[in-house]
Amino acid sequence: MLRYLNQCSRGRGAWLLLALTAFALEMVALWFQHVMLLKPCVLCIYERCALFGVMGAGIVGAIAPKSPLRYVALIIWIYSAFRGLQLAWEHTMIQLHPSPFLTCDFAARFPTWLPLDKWLPQVFLASGDCAERQWQFLSLEMPQWLLIIFAAYLLVALLVLIGQPFKPKRRDLFGRL
């Protein structure tokens, strides 16, 4: 399996699939916000940023999958999935154990050199409360689903990283003579 993951990481298809899944999740988030009129909180916005990181990793990996750039994409992927998992855990804990003393910020805090909430407010402007439960599917809230999603991203990323030293098997038409 590790050889297979190594082989997949050396092709564009797997990296584009990674970017496509993260893009699809971003589109679902925007659909929830603009069609279903759910209000994203600050942690939702940060979780979106982590998904954009996963999508960026897929794009970076697809640029030159057979070069060392693949390792840069893996680092971005692991970091984004890990941070997304942390944020989803924090968000889940706020929803499951609401407290007047433990709340999220009113507005996202982006660096001054990257004010995403000013550049693209339709995507990055927070307007909801982190403790408010707005959506549920199969008895799980949205942050709980994001826990599962980011954990899956992180698990696959770590398996791909572990599989890097395993060289893909060479397949000869006539076998070894």
Side-chain angles (χ1 to χ4, degrees), residues 15-84:
W15 291 106
L16 290 174
L17 180 63
L18 176 67
L20 181 68
T21 60
F23 178 74
L25 289 169
E26 291 289 351
M27 291 299 102
V28 168
L30 290 174
W31 185 75
F32 280 142
Q33 180 180 353
H34 295 292
V35 176
M36 292 181 62
L37 302 177
L38 301 181
K39 296 179 180 179
C41 66
V42 171
L43 289 175
C44 294
I45 298 301
Y46 292 155
E47 290 159 355
R48 280 186 192 177
C49 292
L51 271 176
F52 274 114
V54 171
M55 184 170 60
I59 293 168
V60 168
I63 291 173
K66 293 181 182 174
S67 75
L69 191 60
R70 175 177 79 248
Y71 293 104
V72 172
L74 266 170
I75 291 168
I76 296 169
W77 182 9
I78 290 169
Y79 176 76
S80 297
F82 180 74
R83 287 295 293 144

Side-chain angles (χ1 to χ4, degrees), residues 77 81 85 145-159:
W77 182 9
L85 188 63
W145 280 108
L146 285 172
L147 265 174
I148 295 168
I149 290 166
F150 282 119
Y153 275 140
L154 185 60
L155 176 66
V156 173
L158 291 174
L159 287 173

Side-chain angles (χ1 to χ4, degrees), residues 6-7 12 30 44 47 53 62 87 92 98 125 170-172:
N6 183 337
Q7 182 181 356
R12 282 194 173 85
L30 290 174
C44 294
E47 290 159 355
L87 291 162
T92 298
L125 189 63
R170 205 176 131 191
R171 296 183 183 200
D172 293 337

